[in-house]
Amino acid sequence: MTTRQKLVVIGNGMAGARLVEDVLALDCDRFEVVMFGDEPYGNYNRILLSNVLNGTQDPKEIFLNPLAWYEENNVTLHAGKKVTRIDREQRVVYADGVEQPYDVLVLATGSKPFVPPVPGTTLHGVFVFRTLDDCRNIADYAKGKSNAVVIGGGLLGLEAAKGLMTHDLASVTVVEMAPWLMSVQLDEAGGKVLGQTIEKLGLKALTKTSTAEIQGHTHVTGVKFADGSTVPADIVVISAGIRPNIDLAKECGLACERAIVVDDQMRTSDGHVFGVGECVQHRGMVYGLVAPLWEQTKVLAEVLTGTAPEKVYTGSKIATKLKVMGVELASMGRIGDLKDTDEVVQYSEPARQVYWKAIVRDGKLSAACLLGDLGPADNLMELFKNDAPVPERRLEIFFTAGSAKKDVSLADLPDSHQICDCNGVSKGTICTAIKAGKCTVPSVGKATRAGTGCGSCKGLVKGLIEAVAGAVKADPSEGWYVPAVPMDKPTLVAEVRKRGLKSVSEVFRELGTGVDEKSKMGLASLLKSLWNDEYVDERDARYVNDRVHANIQKDGTFSVIPRMYGGVTSADDLIKIGVVAKKYDVPMVKVTGGQRIDLLGVKKDDLPKMWADLGMPSGYAYTKALRTVKTCVGSEFCRYGTNDSTALGIALEKRYQGFEFPAKVKLGVSGCPRNCAEATVKDVGVIATEGGEWEVSVGGAAGASVRKTDVLCRVKTQAEALTVIGRFLIYYRDNAKWLERTYDFVPRVGLDTIKRVILENATGLWEYFDREVEATIAAYRDPWLERERPVYAGQFEDAKTVALPMLS
Amino acid sequence: MQTLALKSPGRNARAARVRLCDLDELPVGLGRAFVVAGRTVAVFRTRDGNVFATANACPHKAGPLADGMLVGHQVVCPMHAFRFTADSGECDQPNVCAVTTYLVEVEGTAVFLTLPAA
């Protein structure tokens, strides 16, 4: 038996791992594959790092090949090992204690961030944005900081800025040397449009600005520019471009210019050594996008495995579709590269922030950028990639051809047409998957990788599913009430009622497909509302807050919030709260946003004692339940108050306390239209009017989203207000999805429907609503009373100390 | 009642075996923290009748695992929902190291914990 040739790949990034995949796909027996990667992980999709930074994706979702993949494919991966030397003579690679001989060596060393030579780049709080660890470090460091500066207004810089904006910073400033943002992809006018759009998002952009110094002693405090001006900064992210990693190649004497020089078969100046990706220079070009790099690995895999030994790579046409800061962008060719004889075709629509520009050279599309609306982008891409002649009437580049054709064109496209530019997936491949039964966008992605890169082609994938299979099957799990039970809410409720399932574990056993903690919480809430007193309350289905009736804090301590109906308290209660806070050495006493007093930093053991000393009921600050009813002073003391808002607030809170919902619910009552209780941004808001009526409105929020309430009705008395609100709350409780706040629920169901149900009794449910309110009130138990008799062993115990035996 | 086998017990000869508590002091489906020889250990009793033990501090941000929820034979940290597997202590997230696991045994109604020698 012949021994297999040794293929050694240095670099486990998008190029290295993709090459190995391509090689294995063509011939899995030819090589013994050994890979080296600097990072201690499997291989991940670097394009999606910005999603990790902005929290829309979990790090684990961006892994292309987890460590297990290497094992399954018999690929030896030296993760976290840095190659220090290549001996081309002996054909051996050296890395931290590893000596690895090779027959074929591939360099896929990628590139590293360019750090401009200014003082201060080594201060704490200065980061580059390149790896998963960078992402994590930036996110950790950004916590609690207020001012961020991103140096570099290119694509990555903007992605970093977008990511930072999700971390609650007061300001994020992007600094760019060029006169406009994304100067590689956009021309001046396009850059301006982009600039305006992102400023609307609250981001500051300083163009034509070069950084002179990053200031600070040990930690960064500010950034100084060439003109002498400064901005304060607690965190700086440098994203000023990348440089190919060529040190290793240079040291072993391979020909390098800007990057490692390779021929049309990706061969370096040494016939046994090849290169792919950002570290190579081919026909004078160095590419920093994934699509070209995947064309390269494909050719190299065919050459190495002997599948197509004559195959050549002739270069790539760079075209990309992106979404930067929510702005749709398509770019092809080099827009700044203009000759006197070029024709420029431009269209702009400033009000919609739309800007299109195409450069026609010798009757063909040589470059284009589209911003804000990508209607004609596919058409332009097609012209660009195929070097096809552009229409005689140049305006048809953007119109007729593009927009009118769009829907039809998908079906008419040839099978070879590439849909996913990140993964190079053709229409044919996708259609084959759809015909094999993959009728959701995620399942097509799983089968073909289409849509799993930047995700901008998901719409096209959806279109293809519609064209081939008739309709997209929505990802069924989207409609499920909880992830582990494959049923929507009405089906689930019907099954639970029919089978008489009264505990969470019964539901899992009879209807579940598995268990997860989110499903436990969702089901617990649902069952409680369905069965009231009959609900079998399993404590392991509750999150810790609902087990110990206090809110867990970052250090494992808890907080106690005495209920303060309508925000009203008394001198005696205040004194009591003060005495208790002092007795238990509470580290922080704070007034919350919901008009209550929060005692923070309480040890679990102290909770029952404190509650007993306080002798006040619980103020929910944790459960998916009615939280607070915020009020203003109202007619009691206020000069303007037209009605008694505090009395209504207290009545509402007393009546609906302990009601659990699919998400938290906050109420507000204002005593006059000046609306000091900010009732129009609550789940239910009530405002007293000059005529002595109450205006009830629903579906507002002022948290992660801000939404103004929709007016439901006006009522004349406090009692009517209580009734209408109760009906709405039960209707919401019964019909909302798990974790769906009223501000999503109300627009989803529609105000008209809600009015018909709540005001006109169109569904005949009034009696049921009122009965449910009474039943829920009757089933309410003050959870704080568990202090007297814990429900399970150790419920209010921090940690039980166990003595060591004398002898072991 | 069973205990979940540890993948590599590798028990040291001088390890200490301690009687922790009675089985019914462990709430079903939940965890409970114990301090033994200066270490805080979280002991869990799963709904399917197993018992397992881990260090109480999540390796991510030191969240108290005993306050977490159980999902099968995994504990979910109450702070940021990282999951750890009972036997190996392995985390479901990349770049978070495994949590230390301990040998825990149920004999009759008594629960015993074995601490490796310090």
Side-chain angles (χ1 to χ4, degrees), chain A residues 544-604:
Chain A
V544 59
N545 290 351
D546 288 310
R547 274 183 262 141
V548 305
H549 314 302
N551 197 359
I552 194 166
Q553 306 295 329
K554 62 183 269 186
D555 58 353
T557 63
F558 294 85
S559 67
V560 168
I561 301 187
R563 194 174 270 286
M564 210 175 257
Y565 295 99
V568 177
T569 183
S570 67
D572 283 339
D573 279 351
L574 279 177
I575 290 169
K576 213 189 280 175
I577 292 169
V579 168
V580 169
K582 216 166 166 180
K583 177 172 169 190
Y584 293 94
D585 218 3
V586 169
M588 187 187 242
V589 180
K590 167 147 197 344
V591 176
T592 72
Q595 297 185 328
R596 304 191 289 193
I597 293 176
D598 198 352
L599 307 175
L600 291 139
V602 178
K603 290 194 277 295
K604 205 199 271 176

Side-chain angles (χ1 to χ4, degrees), chain B residues 47-117:
Chain B
R47 256 189 187 273
D48 63 0
N50 287 279
V51 174
F52 70 95
T54 68
N56 191 35
C58 174
H60 172 228
K61 297 227 163 151
L65 291 180
D67 284 332
M69 293 177 83
L70 288 181
V71 169
H73 291 173
Q74 289 179 311
V75 55
V76 185
C77 176
M79 291 297 169
H80 306 98
F82 286 42
R83 290 186 185 199
F84 299 90
T85 305
D87 52 3
S88 59
E90 195 191 334
C91 183
D92 70 329
Q93 305 284 316
N95 207 32
V96 175
C97 55
V99 68
T100 308
T101 51
Y102 296 97
L103 178 67
V104 61
E105 292 155 301
V106 181
E107 286 173 14
T109 59
V111 181
F112 291 91
L113 179 84
T114 304
L115 282 179

Side-chain angles (χ1 to χ4, degrees), chain A residues 40-41 58-60 63 132-133 136 140 143 505 515-518 520-521 538-544 547 552-556 558 604 792-794 797-805 808, chain B residues 14-21 24-37 40 47 61 64 66-72 76-79 81-83 92-96 115:
Chain A
Y41 315 111
D58 191 284
K60 114 184 136 181
F63 274 82
L132 199 48
D133 284 341
R136 217 183 290 269
D140 279 348
K143 281 194 191 103
S505 59
V515 178
D516 74 69
E517 79 279 10
K518 290 183 195 81
K520 279 183 170 184
M521 291 188 269
E538 292 168 338
R539 292 304 168 106
D540 59 321
R542 295 185 179 198
Y543 182 63
V544 59
R547 274 183 262 141
I552 194 166
Q553 306 295 329
K554 62 183 269 186
D555 58 353
F558 294 85
K604 205 199 271 176
Y792 58 87
E797 218 171 279
D798 245 341
K800 187 176 173 176
T801 303
V802 176
L804 278 181
S808 64
Chain B
R14 294 196 299 140
R17 191 162 186 269
V18 188
R19 187 182 189 286
L20 270 190
C21 62
D24 59 15
E25 288 179 69
L26 296 178
V28 175
L30 288 169
R32 190 166 178 188
F34 293 88
V35 178
V36 190
T40 312
R47 256 189 187 273
K61 297 227 163 151
D67 284 332
M69 293 177 83
L70 288 181
V71 169
V76 185
C77 176
M79 291 297 169
F82 286 42
R83 290 186 185 199
D92 70 329
Q93 305 284 316
N95 207 32
V96 175
L115 282 179

Side-chain angles (χ1 to χ4, degrees), chain A residues 256-269:
Chain A
C256 294
E257 288 172 14
R258 271 192 303 147
I260 307 164
V261 178
V262 295
D263 67 10
D264 285 355
Q265 295 200 310
M266 311 315 293
R267 195 176 287 106
T268 68
S269 53

Side-chain angles (χ1 to χ4, degrees), chain A residues 204-375:
Chain A
K204 226 185 302 175
L206 300 174
T207 50
K208 277 192 231 170
T209 306
S210 71
T211 306
E213 184 186 346
I214 299 174
Q215 299 172 309
H217 183 50
T218 54
H219 293 76
V220 58
T221 55
V223 178
K224 185 172 176 183
F225 303 118
D227 65 2
S229 63
T230 58
V231 291
D234 312 307
I235 176 165
V236 170
V237 176
I238 297 177
S239 176
I242 51 173
R243 296 288 180 271
N245 270 325
I246 56 172
D247 295 349
L248 206 53
K250 265 186 174 164
E251 273 163 30
C252 69
L254 294 173
C256 294
E257 288 172 14
R258 271 192 303 147
I260 307 164
V261 178
V262 295
D263 67 10
D264 285 355
Q265 295 200 310
M266 311 315 293
R267 195 176 287 106
T268 68
S269 53
D270 176 335
H272 294 277
V273 184
F274 297 79
V276 279
E278 290 180 338
C279 64
V280 303
Q281 177 180 332
H282 171 262
R283 297 193 187 182
M285 291 289 291
V286 179
Y287 298 96
L289 287 170
V290 283
L293 150 184
W294 285 346
E295 289 172 34
Q296 295 173 356
T297 60
K298 208 164 180 180
V299 170
L300 180 55
E302 283 172 324
V303 170
L304 292 181
T305 55
T307 321
E310 306 302 320
K311 195 73 176 262
V312 289
Y313 169 71
T314 53
S316 297
K317 298 201 102 183
I318 325 165
T320 179
K321 272 195 271 177
L322 316 152
K323 197 167 179 177
V324 198
M325 314 279 303
V327 183
E328 304 257 17
L329 181 94
S331 147
M332 46 211 99
R334 298 182 171 233
I335 198 82
D337 204 8
L338 209 58
K339 286 186 188 172
D340 291 345
T341 49
D342 287 346
E343 292 169 61
V344 178
V345 187
Q346 244 169 311
Y347 171 79
S348 80
E349 204 183 326
R352 272 204 316 141
Q353 314 277 330
V354 172
Y355 177 77
W356 298 338
K357 178 173 182 175
I359 295 173
V360 177
R361 185 174 298 167
D362 304 328
K364 290 172 184 167
L365 186 66
S366 87
C369 70
L370 296 99
L371 206 63
D373 177 344
L374 303 195

